[in-house]
Amino acid sequence: MAEEKRPRHILSLSGGKDSAALAIYLRDRVPEMEYIFSDTRKELPETYEYLDRISSYLGKEVVHLNADVGFDHWYEMYGGMIPSNHRRWCTRALKLKPFEQYCGNEEVINYVGLRAEENRSGYISHKPNIKAVYPFREDGLVLRDIEEILHTSGVGMPPYTKWGRTRSGCYFCFYQQKIEWVRLKETYPELYDKAKEYERPYEKTGNFFTWSQGESLAELEQPERMEQIRREHVIRIQRNAARRENVKLIEIFAEADRTEELEEDDDQGCLVCQL
């Protein structure tokens, strides 16, 4: 009688804190785990550095998907139309599709790093052979636990957080905040300029698409505009700090709303890219 084939165990690393902490958390619990990274070829240098650090801790190779094609290939396939919140072809072409191709038709358990306090849904594959599981939710782990896992292991937080970026993913991710564009300009001006080159009229319609909603990168990088964004960011931080103080003084019953309003984190955006 043929032995029943066991499911594959796969964890997708994004270069973000949650997937890194989940890999560390499960290393000795699921020794047969496979680790993958969907490489857009437009990642920050720190992301690749962080993946190497994680791989060393795990003692296993992190398989890079999209070995043959990256963002530019699909950018040309879509006629030079940059992705946005309403045109997320990058997620489909560079994240979901390669992952499902890597899984094939074998039974797969996919481990996702959603935390217990997060009020959002994880990646759900349309392929019946892929089952998503959420260990942090099941075990009740929240943000402070994830930070503790990273600190205790020595892997630490993603290095790009040192200069104020909150998310992994492409350096020109359209989900990043205005202040993150300012910081990219200050830290990697050459990458900012490369992102700016993608902003050009779409040939089929003549529409001019921008990475940052409401303005082009050429407009955003003007000194007066960058200073305005910095000021607004400081005001937002102060306002959030005041709200946190108010939480200590009065009772708030809508815990989910509190988390969404008060936690300045990388939760907004593409789930597949950011975990």
Side-chain angles (χ1 to χ4, degrees), residues 195-206:
K196 191 165 58 173
E197 291 173 4
Y198 287 101
E199 295 187 330
R200 57 183 190 234
Y202 181 48
E203 291 181 2
K204 293 184 178 180
T205 63

Side-chain angles (χ1 to χ4, degrees), residues 60-265:
K60 276 191 177 183
E61 176 190 6
V62 176
V63 177
H64 285 231
L65 307 186
N66 301 318
D68 300 324
V69 296
F71 177 88
D72 286 339
H73 167 81
W74 291 106
Y75 174 71
E76 295 300 329
M77 291 289 289
Y78 279 87
M81 178 179 64
I82 63 177
S84 73
N85 185 33
H86 305 293
R87 305 181 302 273
R88 288 171 55 183
W89 58 257
C90 54
T91 301
R92 292 192 304 272
L94 291 162
K95 302 289 182 177
L96 300 181
K97 203 171 178 182
F99 170 72
E100 292 184 344
Q101 288 176 340
Y102 179 79
C103 293
N105 294 319
E106 296 180 83
E107 185 180 352
V108 166
I109 299 176
N110 177 219
Y111 294 80
V112 182
L114 279 176
R115 306 189 302 269
E117 84 277 18
E118 292 185 285
N119 185 26
R120 56 175 178 163
S121 300
Y123 158 69
I124 300 175
S125 173
H126 295 297
K127 298 187 70 175
N129 59 304
I130 301 175
K131 176 188 176 184
V133 295
Y134 308 94
F136 286 157
R137 277 189 172 174
E138 293 169 6
D139 296 346
L141 272 65
V142 296
L143 178 60
R144 62 178 176 271
D145 299 309
I146 274 61
E147 293 173 340
E148 179 64 21
I149 289 170
L150 294 173
H151 174 72
T152 303
S153 67
V155 171
M157 290 287 284
Y160 49 74
T161 58
K162 293 178 181 178
W163 51 271
R165 186 179 172 96
T166 63
R167 64 186 61 253
S168 57
C170 301
Y171 62 82
F172 45 55
C173 179
F174 49 82
Y175 276 120
Q176 63 188 310
Q177 305 166 28
K178 301 279 187 182
I179 188 62
E180 291 179 293
W181 281 110
V182 171
R183 289 165 176 165
L184 180 69
K185 173 71 176 178
E186 294 169 340
T187 310
Y188 289 108
E190 70 282 3
L191 295 183
Y192 188 97
D193 288 342
K194 287 181 179 179
K196 191 165 58 173
E197 291 173 4
Y198 287 101
E199 295 187 330
R200 57 183 190 234
Y202 181 48
E203 291 181 2
K204 293 184 178 180
T205 63
N207 292 337
F208 186 78
F209 295 114
T210 60
W211 291 115
S212 183
Q213 187 175 0
E215 63 186 327
S216 69
L217 295 186
E219 293 169 326
L220 192 151
E221 70 178 338
Q222 297 305 308
E224 318 82 56
R225 175 58 178 142
M226 291 178 68
E227 183 57 33
Q228 179 189 12
I229 292 170
R230 292 189 193 97
R231 288 197 306 268
E232 291 173 350
H233 179 64
V234 170
I235 292 171
R236 187 161 55 251
I237 290 175
Q238 292 172 340
R239 189 175 297 152
N240 285 344
R243 288 177 180 174
R244 289 189 182 94
E245 186 62 29
N246 287 337
V247 167
K248 297 176 184 178
L249 300 175
I250 61 176
E251 290 195 6
I252 303 275
F253 297 101
E255 185 65 32
D257 291 341
R258 179 196 303 175
T259 301
E260 180 181 350
E261 291 177 9
L262 301 185
E263 183 184 74
E264 186 175 0
D265 195 12

